Amino acid sequence: MSEVTKDLLELVWGTKSSPGLSDTIFCRWTQELLGIHEQAAVGFLTLMEALRYCKVGSYLKSPKFPIWIVGSETHLTVFFAKDMALVAPEAPSEQARRVFQTYDPEDNGFIADSLLEDVMKALDLVSDPEYINLMKNKLDPEGLGIILLGPFLQEFFPDQVMYVEGTAVVMGFEDPMLQTDDTPIKRCLQTKWPYIELLWTTERSPSLN
């Protein structure tokens, strides 16, 4: 991180080098962290991240206003736009990615499984020990001791919601002629309606997971 860039950060965002803040610029060649506590008014993007020399956090990539300082090896440029949609509020999946990456400052794309509980607590997810162990086994089925970002986001913050249409028939008794599949979703519903049968419009029954 050049002295010019550090001076600029301190001037624009009022920050100094600090290893414990929630959003950062991480420089791989100096192992230095410069961080801010909250969403910045003016953003920062840099060619150095594209070259994998540093990592800019989402508080700087997604500022309050559509204004970004863009850095190269030698120059700083200002980009701005009138469309406030470019800086829309952080989506839950974006927040999850940001929190996950605070525990993965080198941007490896994974964290040690011992950090899963901390990440889930930071995101206000269920974090009791039994559930944490269940999620460790599910997210790390090979027992490598790591949790990958992709499967973590897909598990707790899926990008899309899928809808499957179906028809439910609730009988007062079991009818073998009408009996359908024996899926987890059906067994779950049978705890409320013991003789429910489900007819889906798709060939595959939907999953609870």
Side-chain angles (χ1 to χ4, degrees):
M1 180 69 69
S2 71
E3 291 300 321
V4 173
T5 304
K6 288 198 292 186
D7 291 343
L8 176 67
L9 288 173
E10 188 170 344
L11 175 65
V12 176
W13 299 292
T15 183
K16 295 184 178 180
S17 299
S18 176
L21 301 184
S22 59
D23 204 63
T24 62
I25 297 175
F26 177 76
C27 299
R28 289 183 170 81
W29 67 90
T30 63
Q31 299 294 301
E32 185 176 19
L33 286 166
L34 287 89
I36 60 174
H37 290 282
E38 58 188 14
Q39 185 184 25
V42 177
F44 181 67
L45 304 172
T46 174
L47 178 62
M48 294 297 98
E49 180 172 10
L51 299 175
R52 298 188 61 81
Y53 285 115
C54 69
K55 177 71 176 177
V56 179
S58 61
Y59 281 164
L60 292 174
K61 286 182 177 176
S62 303
K64 295 178 181 178
F65 304 101
I67 306 170
W68 290 267
I69 295 170
V70 181
S72 69
E73 303 95 322
T74 57
H75 290 79
L76 297 170
T77 304
V78 176
F79 276 30
F80 66 92
K82 296 180 180 180
D83 188 357
M84 291 297 293
L86 294 173
V87 288
E90 190 177 48
S93 60
E94 293 172 334
Q95 180 193 19
R97 181 183 296 272
R98 172 173 55 79
V99 170
F100 190 98
Q101 289 178 335
T102 61
Y103 294 88
D104 176 26
E106 295 188 12
D107 196 26
N108 292 316
F110 64 84
I111 60 172
D113 62 358
S114 59
L115 296 174
L116 180 61
E117 181 176 358
D118 295 332
V119 172
M120 294 180 68
K121 284 182 177 179
L123 292 169
D124 292 326
L125 298 172
V126 177
S127 55
D128 62 80
E130 184 176 353
Y131 185 69
I132 293 294
N133 288 332
L134 178 67
M135 285 297 101
K136 284 181 180 180
N137 292 332
K138 183 172 184 178
L139 296 173
D140 180 24
E142 297 180 357
L144 301 177
I146 60 173
I147 304 297
L148 297 174
L149 173 60
F152 175 83
L153 292 177
Q154 189 61 37
E155 177 68 28
F156 296 105
F157 302 91
D159 292 332
Q160 59 183 350
V161 177
M162 297 183 62
Y163 298 91
V164 178
E165 184 179 353
T167 301
V169 179
V170 180
M171 307 285 289
F173 55 90
E174 184 175 2
D175 184 353
M177 299 295 294
L178 191 61
Q179 191 168 7
T180 57
D181 57 9
D182 184 29
T183 57
I185 190 169
K186 177 181 172 182
R187 291 198 299 270
C188 181
L189 293 176
Q190 282 177 331
T191 63
K192 167 66 174 174
W193 301 281
Y195 302 113
I196 192 171
E197 296 296 339
L198 304 172
L199 304 172
W200 303 104
T201 57
T202 57
E203 292 184 3
R204 291 186 58 184
S205 300
S207 172
L208 280 178
N209 298 319

